[in-house]
Amino acid sequence: MTLDHGDPGDAPSIPAPTAPVVNSARPAAAEEARTIAASTNTATLASLSEDGTPWASFVTYGLLDGLPVLCVSRMAEHGRNLEADPRASIAVVEPNPPADPLAGSRITLAGVVELPVGDEAAAAREAHLAAVPAAKYYIDYSDFSLWVLRVRRIRWVGGYGRMDSASAEDYAAAAPDPVVPSAARAIEHLNADHADSLLSMARVLGGYPDASEAACERADRYGLDLRVVTARGVARTRVGYAQRIDSADQLRAATVELARRAREA
Amino acid sequence: MTLDHGDPGDAPSIPAPTAPVVNSARPAAAEEARTIAASTNTATLASLSEDGTPWASFVTYGLLDGLPVLCVSRMAEHGRNLEADPRASIAVVEPNPPADPLAGSRITLAGVVELPVGDEAAAAREAHLAAVPAAKYYIDYSDFSLWVLRVRRIRWVGGYGRMDSASAEDYAAAAPDPVVPSAARAIEHLNADHADSLLSMARVLGGYPDASEAACERADRYGLDLRVVTARGVARTRVGYAQRIDSADQLRAATVELARRAREA
């Protein structure tokens, strides 16, 4: 991650915390990448055309242990490209992007595609069909092939100034976040009914004792992302739970504990 | 366009029209591509990494006479890629895709990127800012560059079995469809209140005298796409207006004329 931009643009400056951030635990880049990969079934493939130029094309995918499984036709340029040269990458953008597109999350997974064989071929077929039900209409056409992308390089961007790479090993070992996909309602409830608790969290646990407002922007298995308003400007901070949680069901207890800790401090 | 698939999959067969389709006028591939390019401000870029592998990455863009104007940082891999090798393509997917992702519309625009100079640099900056207002915060950082993609190859896919290429000349000369982006409400009204007229159109003008239901799926400057239900199965057909229209305001008159023609035939 680097923020070493050149000449400043028009971006407002972001106020720094004036007290320690008590627990800034958050998902690692490999976990973020697995979460984004699991959040949708469409991506853009970059493959190499006959003349060596890069070809961007819309594709659908399923996931087999985090590896994208594509189903593409040899009658399409990208299908011919993969047959001729297995080097490929896909970009996946998290659904429901914010109004400012670059504030959203996305990943690039790069590597080489391979035709799965034996047990893996059956598993890849199931994985693709589970993610893309309409594929049942064409997956068995003889011009379509299933390709597994053996991921070697992972780049995650979580919005402005939040980005990192992950190794293939870390990506393989990581799990998609079990809280993120089902947290929308809980976040709405926190913001609607517990603004006072969020403000205490921001002041006491999040490093912004001068906060006048706080709203939850995301909940994941490690904690909450808070948007904090101060007289010095708007900032983002983090309040980590006492312990990692493993399902959205545990979110309520974890946030109650955060609120209690903020109140009693 | 080719439909010469290999062994059949599970796709239901599509009933052919049993009468002439009176006017099947529809946008050319170049117009479809311009329409999709104008429908959003996000795309995926395919560039070449240092080792010659294809790198897919999320980007924002504006349009200068239909040419994508990117604004990317040299601190990001895709920015370094474009500086080292200008060969690039972008894939754009029409927003609000259908439940079956491959039934939606998308394009690939391939060519080489160039740093605009002089008047074009100013115009490119304006074009990008008009499409991506948040770019005002970083467009003047010295690590960001504006790139114009000189489009040489255009591939349009309008869903299953609807696809074509367009030349760079045709793409440059085409205009985005003025009706498509603002037709949603009119289509809703047609389907809700004029199902009988749509059914007559499908029977008399669309080649399906055995239609039992018809719904409008799209309106563009040349006509309507209808989804037709028959005892033989579900099909899509086309009813072209008497004349091309040049704005959404003319849609009502054009569809009234279609309904009249279908009724009087």
Side-chain angles (χ1 to χ4, degrees):
Chain A
M1 183 187 314
T2 171
L3 290 168
D4 185 27
H5 286 290
D7 306 329
D10 280 342
S13 67
I14 298 168
T18 58
V21 176
V22 172
N23 177 5
S24 60
R26 59 165 57 257
E31 293 176 278
E32 296 279 14
R34 288 290 293 257
T35 303
I36 294 170
S39 71
T40 183
N41 62 358
T42 62
T44 298
L45 173 70
S47 59
L48 293 171
S49 292
E50 210 175 356
D51 59 1
T53 58
W55 185 252
S57 59
F58 181 69
V59 290
T60 51
Y61 70 94
L63 288 174
L64 188 61
D65 298 328
L67 302 183
V69 179
L70 314 179
C71 178
V72 298
S73 170
R74 202 174 302 119
M75 297 189 327
E77 180 154 347
H78 57 197
R80 294 191 295 272
N81 290 351
L82 296 181
E83 288 207 330
D85 191 322
R87 294 176 296 172
S89 64
I90 68 167
V92 180
V93 182
E94 206 163 41
N96 308 313
D100 175 0
L102 295 186
S105 298
R106 63 271 189 189
I107 50 170
T108 298
L109 305 176
V112 292
V113 292
E114 228 173 68
L115 293 170
V117 295
D119 287 351
E120 196 188 31
R125 187 177 186 282
E126 284 313 299
H128 190 87
L129 285 169
V132 188
K136 72 178 175 191
Y137 294 125
Y138 51 80
I139 198 167
D140 294 322
Y141 279 125
S142 63
D143 57 296
F144 276 85
S145 297
L146 285 174
W147 296 97
V148 174
L149 178 61
R150 308 283 178 211
V151 175
R152 292 177 179 170
R153 290 209 295 144
I154 296 96
R155 184 68 179 168
W156 159 74
V157 181
Y160 293 107
R162 293 188 60 216
M163 55 197 69
D164 209 348
S165 298
S167 70
E169 294 67 31
D170 287 347
Y171 181 80
D177 193 286
V179 175
V180 168
S182 47
R185 193 171 298 183
I187 291 170
E188 217 173 284
H189 169 65
L190 279 172
N191 289 327
D193 301 332
H194 299 288
D196 52 339
S197 292
L198 294 173
L199 183 56
S200 301
M201 291 180 207
R203 288 175 171 166
V204 176
L205 306 173
Y208 287 86
D210 61 340
S212 59
E213 279 176 53
C216 179
E217 294 191 319
R218 187 175 97 147
D220 55 52
R221 68 189 316 178
Y222 298 99
L224 308 179
D225 284 339
L226 299 185
R227 178 182 185 275
V228 175
V229 179
T230 76
R232 300 176 290 133
V234 171
R236 260 87 187 175
T237 192
R238 181 77 181 170
V239 287
Y241 314 133
Q243 289 185 308
R244 190 187 93 172
I245 62 176
D246 293 314
S247 87
D249 296 342
Q250 300 169 285
L251 185 55
R252 190 172 175 284
T255 53
V256 164
E257 193 279 331
L258 281 178
R260 189 190 52 71
R261 235 188 320 146
R263 209 168 43 237
E264 292 178 359
Chain B
M1 181 188 318
T2 170
L3 289 167
D4 185 27
H5 286 290
D7 305 331
D10 279 344
S13 67
I14 298 169
T18 58
V21 177
V22 172
N23 177 4
S24 60
R26 59 165 58 257
E31 294 176 279
E32 296 279 14
R34 288 290 293 259
T35 304
I36 293 169
S39 71
T40 184
N41 62 358
T42 62
T44 298
L45 173 70
S47 59
L48 293 172
S49 292
E50 209 174 357
D51 58 1
T53 58
W55 184 252
S57 59
F58 182 68
V59 290
T60 53
Y61 70 94
L63 288 175
L64 188 61
D65 298 329
L67 301 184
V69 179
L70 314 179
C71 179
V72 298
S73 169
R74 201 173 304 117
M75 298 190 326
E77 180 155 344
H78 57 197
R80 294 190 296 273
N81 290 352
L82 296 181
E83 287 206 331
D85 192 322
R87 294 177 294 173
S89 63
I90 67 167
V92 180
V93 182
E94 206 162 41
N96 308 313
D100 175 359
L102 294 185
S105 298
R106 64 270 190 189
I107 50 171
T108 297
L109 306 175
V112 291
V113 292
E114 227 173 69
L115 293 170
V117 295
D119 288 352
E120 198 189 27
R125 188 177 186 280
E126 285 312 299
H128 191 86
L129 285 169
V132 188
K136 70 179 177 192
Y137 295 126
Y138 51 80
I139 198 168
D140 295 321
Y141 280 126
S142 63
D143 57 296
F144 276 85
S145 298
L146 284 173
W147 296 97
V148 175
L149 178 62
R150 308 281 179 213
V151 175
R152 292 176 178 171
R153 290 208 295 144
I154 296 95
R155 184 70 179 169
W156 159 73
V157 181
Y160 292 106
R162 293 188 60 215
M163 56 197 69
D164 209 348
S165 299
S167 70
E169 295 69 30
D170 288 347
Y171 181 79
D177 193 285
V179 176
V180 168
S182 46
R185 193 171 298 182
I187 291 169
E188 216 173 283
H189 170 65
L190 279 172
N191 289 327
D193 301 333
H194 299 287
D196 51 340
S197 293
L198 293 173
L199 184 56
S200 300
M201 292 180 207
R203 287 176 171 167
V204 177
L205 306 173
Y208 287 87
D210 61 340
S212 58
E213 280 177 54
C216 179
E217 293 192 318
R218 187 174 97 148
D220 55 52
R221 70 190 314 178
Y222 298 100
L224 308 178
D225 284 339
L226 300 185
R227 178 183 185 274
V228 176
V229 179
T230 77
R232 299 177 291 133
V234 171
R236 261 86 188 175
T237 191
R238 181 76 180 170
V239 288
Y241 314 134
Q243 290 186 307
R244 189 186 94 171
I245 62 176
D246 294 313
S247 87
D249 296 341
Q250 301 170 285
L251 186 54
R252 191 174 174 283
T255 53
V256 165
E257 195 278 331
L258 280 178
R260 189 191 52 71
R261 231 181 330 139
R263 209 169 42 237
E264 292 179 0

